[in-house]
Amino acid sequence: LLTSVAILAQGIKLSRAGSVQSIVKPGAMSEFTIRTRKFKSNPLLGRKQFVLDIIHPNMANVSKKDLAEKLRSMYKVHDVQCIQLFGFKTAFGGGRSTGFGLIYENVDKMKKFEPKYRLARAGFEQKKGAGRRGKKDTKNRCKKARGKEKTKAKSSGGKK
């Protein structure tokens, strides 16, 4: 019987109730292992949700892109964009991280139920208008100007 250390050293893939997958990234010096727990299917929101435990010795962190690719192969997801990963915390001392993951049935369900800020992170939502600082700068420039200059300052928007 192999211990978990020996299994990690050999890079063996395991499949059981608490799904475990190990991957050696080409070009990277080490590997990472993904384990999902608290896995539940949520048909009302059209998604699967779970807590992800990542073991990544000799690596500072694992990118969400790599994790999404690995989850795609583990759960046979047709589109990587349907996978949302967030809330990752690295354990003190490194080597282990925990986060949350969602796998949506399709992109439409994701757009319907995901918060706007996470859609923006994924590249679905665009930022609207000028930022807070730009609006304040425009307002203060308008205070100083009169007549045609004031209209010119207003039309410049958030630009300087």
Side-chain angles (χ1 to χ4, degrees), residues 130 134-135 137-139 141-142 145 147-160:
K135 288 177 194 168
D137 289 343
T138 304
K139 177 187 66 129
R141 243 182 283 117
C142 286
K148 289 182 178 177
E149 291 172 14
K150 194 168 196 163
T151 359
K152 187 179 174 188
K154 276 185 183 176
S155 66
S156 71
K159 302 173 204 152
K160 288 192 176 180

Side-chain angles (χ1 to χ4, degrees), residues 11-136:
I12 296 173
K13 291 181 184 176
L14 295 176
S15 292
R16 55 167 218 215
S19 304
V20 178
Q21 288 287 322
S22 186
I23 183 170
V24 178
K25 222 181 126 190
M29 290 305 291
S30 68
E31 62 179 38
F32 61 93
T33 306
I34 297 176
R35 177 175 282 127
T36 58
R37 60 187 169 87
K38 295 187 179 178
F39 190 94
K40 62 176 74 161
S41 187
N42 190 336
L44 289 176
L45 299 178
R47 70 185 185 197
K48 297 172 189 142
Q49 51 198 52
F50 46 87
V51 174
L52 267 176
D53 291 325
I54 299 114
I55 301 167
H56 48 91
N58 308 323
M59 288 175 81
N61 266 323
V62 185
S63 72
K64 289 180 187 174
K65 195 176 185 181
D66 294 340
L67 291 173
E69 277 298 326
K70 191 63 195 161
L71 285 169
R72 178 185 184 179
S73 64
M74 277 173 72
Y75 292 104
K76 297 170 182 65
V77 181
H78 56 87
D79 190 5
V80 182
Q81 289 185 322
C82 293
I83 300 173
Q84 283 288 317
L85 302 170
F86 57 93
F88 282 91
K89 302 230 182 316
T90 306
F92 181 73
R96 284 190 332 262
S97 298
T98 305
F100 202 73
L102 305 169
I103 299 176
Y104 282 92
E105 291 170 359
N106 55 42
V107 177
D108 294 334
K109 294 238 175 154
M110 188 174 85
K111 285 182 179 177
K112 186 175 180 184
F113 295 117
E114 273 295 285
K116 297 279 185 259
Y117 77 94
R118 281 209 298 255
L119 287 175
R121 259 186 217 168
F124 288 104
E125 292 283 320
Q126 306 303 327
K127 276 192 172 180
K128 315 172 191 92
R132 180 173 173 269
R133 184 79 243 171
K135 288 177 194 168
K136 287 171 82 170

